[in-house]
Amino acid sequence: MSVAHANGTDPREHSSRPPSGVARPPGRPRDTRRDPLIIEATLTELAANGFGGLSMEAVAAAAGVGKATVYRRWPTKGALVAEALATLATSHEPHDTGSLRDDLVAAVNAVRRHGIQTLSGRIMPRVLAEKESHPDLFDTYRQQVIVPAREQVANVLRRGVASGELKADLDIDLATDMLVGPVSYRQYTAGSNEVSGTRISQIVDTVLGGIRAD
Amino acid sequence: MSVAHANGTDPREHSSRPPSGVARPPGRPRDTRRDPLIIEATLTELAANGFGGLSMEAVAAAAGVGKATVYRRWPTKGALVAEALATLATSHEPHDTGSLRDDLVAAVNAVRRHGIQTLSGRIMPRVLAEKESHPDLFDTYRQQVIVPAREQVANVLRRGVASGELKADLDIDLATDMLVGPVSYRQYTAGSNEVSGTRISQIVDTVLGGIRAD
């Protein structure tokens, strides 16, 4: 979640200061130590009630701060939720053991672990349900959560094409859907315990049966 | 939703009358002609606002009836939404052209047509988001919409096993996930226009490559 900066400062602290050239409001600089608590409370509220049902009051109460503290930093609910969603970005370990099959199994298992049982996974149906009225929120979610999860699978597939193990003209995007889709679909429609490691191996083996180079 | 009764009466009509032995309230029997409008308005409200955000007042207004008319028939919001979800059941044409591949393509295309762009598809993320607080509603949705859509694909697969075209020990449930999952996942995460007929044929061909009898 946090990115190490060359000068060692925490970028979240930095971003809470006014842009250079803008006069800082009078008085003490705002205390930013509670920001992570506010962000966490925002994500929890979002998972529970959606954007429409989220109130700044409830976020403040859950974070143990006054309402004014939240409003001083995030003047609107939209700004607060957008920043909270942006923190969902996860960095993924690359999967590269030398075995295409094992790497695919590992990458799809990582998708599964980020499924419906996590806070980020529980937010998915919320932003999806409100996609029409708040397309920007869904888009942030997609960029921070969905795209990186797909990319780790796609990267393994690209290596398989480069090594000649997979068909040279493989549609990486489609093959990614075929590996991630059955897992994500199953978790959301049937419950989080419905996708076992064995099931993931079977999905990988079946798809590999259809996409290996002849 | 409807179960044939021994005496041949429509159970829906029947259920709007007081149970036998209970005196009918004084006055004319309730006018049931507006019921389909109320049900339709309920589904539309559910897709737009979820169960938490749905109000009986808004449903009544959208259906052009008085609030009392709605409450007389459905004393609670839960009862109204449960009955509305139960009407989502769709009967599917069986796919049986003699070609396993063509039948699978047709069955998966039917799933796609019932996707996110339909009223029933837009309700999906709503009931999913509220699965924890209202598991019964999600369950009704699953039984009425998800299970029948899966069954039409599963039935084609079962025929393929019976004819010897597919592996004798094929896991029908898993193969169904592998055909429906990539389509459903893609529609919800990338937009309804993202799944073309060509894409569905490619999914079917790839999965068939992995599940055909040797």
Side-chain angles (χ1 to χ4, degrees):
Chain A
M1 178 169 142
S2 70
V3 178
H5 272 210
N7 60 7
T9 59
D10 184 334
R12 279 167 301 181
E13 250 177 52
H14 187 79
S15 68
S16 67
R17 292 176 199 151
S20 57
V22 175
R24 174 178 291 162
R28 283 182 309 170
R30 204 180 64 81
D31 179 0
T32 59
R33 285 170 301 178
R34 298 279 175 78
D35 287 3
L37 289 177
I38 297 172
I39 291 293
E40 184 71 17
T42 303
L43 294 172
T44 306
E45 280 292 307
L46 187 63
N49 300 311
F51 183 79
L54 181 142
S55 86
M56 301 283 264
E57 286 80 353
V59 167
V65 301
K67 217 169 68 173
T69 304
V70 179
Y71 276 108
R72 210 173 302 139
R73 172 78 173 84
W74 296 278
T76 65
K77 191 165 96 167
L80 173 62
V81 172
E83 191 163 328
L85 286 175
T87 68
L88 288 177
T90 37
S91 65
H92 295 285
E93 294 289 312
H95 303 282
D96 194 0
T97 64
S99 157
L100 174 67
R101 191 248 182 201
D102 291 352
D103 290 346
L104 282 177
V105 169
V108 178
N109 263 298
V111 170
R112 173 179 68 130
R113 280 193 299 273
H114 259 82
I116 184 94
Q117 71 274 32
T118 64
L119 181 57
S120 138
R122 286 189 294 118
I123 287 173
M124 197 284 269
R126 291 295 184 184
V127 289
L128 187 55
E130 296 177 295
K131 195 175 171 182
E132 246 175 275
S133 45
H134 302 285
D136 49 320
L137 296 183
F138 184 78
D139 224 61
T140 302
Y141 183 84
R142 176 162 48 199
Q143 289 307 321
Q144 301 298 324
V145 180
I146 298 175
V147 170
R150 291 176 61 81
E151 269 307 292
Q152 53 178 337
V153 175
N155 283 334
V156 178
L157 290 170
R158 284 187 200 105
R159 270 208 318 274
V161 171
S163 71
E165 271 188 88
L166 301 180
K167 294 179 181 185
D169 63 348
L170 181 67
D171 184 333
I172 299 284
D173 190 53
L174 176 65
T176 303
D177 277 359
M178 294 193 61
L179 291 163
V180 176
V183 175
S184 182
Y185 164 82
R186 185 77 180 189
Q187 284 192 310
Y188 283 102
T189 59
S192 53
N193 297 325
E194 286 283 327
V195 185
S196 64
T198 310
R199 198 168 183 91
I200 286 178
S201 302
Q202 288 171 319
I203 290 169
V204 169
D205 289 335
T206 305
V207 172
L208 276 178
I211 67 177
R212 273 193 196 282
D214 298 319
Chain B
M1 172 175 143
S2 72
V3 177
H5 272 208
N7 60 7
T9 59
D10 183 336
R12 279 165 301 183
E13 250 177 54
H14 187 80
S15 68
S16 66
R17 291 175 200 151
S20 58
V22 175
R24 174 180 291 164
R28 286 181 307 169
R30 204 180 65 83
D31 178 0
T32 58
R33 285 170 301 176
R34 299 278 175 79
D35 287 1
L37 290 176
I38 297 171
I39 291 293
E40 184 72 15
T42 303
L43 294 172
T44 306
E45 280 292 308
L46 186 63
N49 301 312
F51 184 79
L54 182 142
S55 85
M56 300 285 264
E57 286 80 352
V59 166
V65 301
K67 217 169 68 173
T69 303
V70 180
Y71 276 108
R72 210 173 303 140
R73 173 78 173 81
W74 296 280
T76 65
K77 190 165 98 165
L80 173 61
V81 171
E83 191 163 328
L85 285 175
T87 68
L88 287 177
T90 38
S91 65
H92 296 283
E93 293 289 312
H95 303 281
D96 194 359
T97 64
S99 156
L100 173 68
R101 192 247 183 201
D102 293 351
D103 289 346
L104 282 178
V105 168
V108 178
N109 263 297
V111 170
R112 171 178 68 129
R113 281 193 298 275
H114 259 81
I116 184 94
Q117 70 274 36
T118 63
L119 181 58
S120 136
R122 288 188 293 119
I123 287 172
M124 196 282 268
R126 292 294 184 185
V127 289
L128 186 55
E130 296 178 297
K131 195 174 169 183
E132 245 174 275
S133 44
H134 302 285
D136 49 320
L137 296 183
F138 184 79
D139 223 62
T140 302
Y141 183 85
R142 177 161 48 201
Q143 289 306 322
Q144 301 298 322
V145 179
I146 298 175
V147 170
R150 291 176 60 83
E151 268 308 291
Q152 54 178 335
V153 175
N155 283 334
V156 177
L157 290 170
R158 283 185 201 108
R159 270 207 318 273
V161 171
S163 71
E165 271 188 89
L166 301 180
K167 294 178 182 186
D169 62 348
L170 181 68
D171 183 334
I172 299 284
D173 189 53
L174 176 65
T176 302
D177 277 358
M178 294 193 61
L179 291 163
V180 176
V183 175
S184 181
Y185 164 81
R186 183 79 180 186
Q187 285 193 310
Y188 283 101
T189 59
S192 54
N193 297 324
E194 286 283 327
V195 185
S196 65
T198 310
R199 198 170 182 90
I200 286 177
S201 302
Q202 289 170 319
I203 291 169
V204 168
D205 289 334
T206 305
V207 172
L208 276 178
I211 67 177
R212 273 193 196 284
D214 300 318

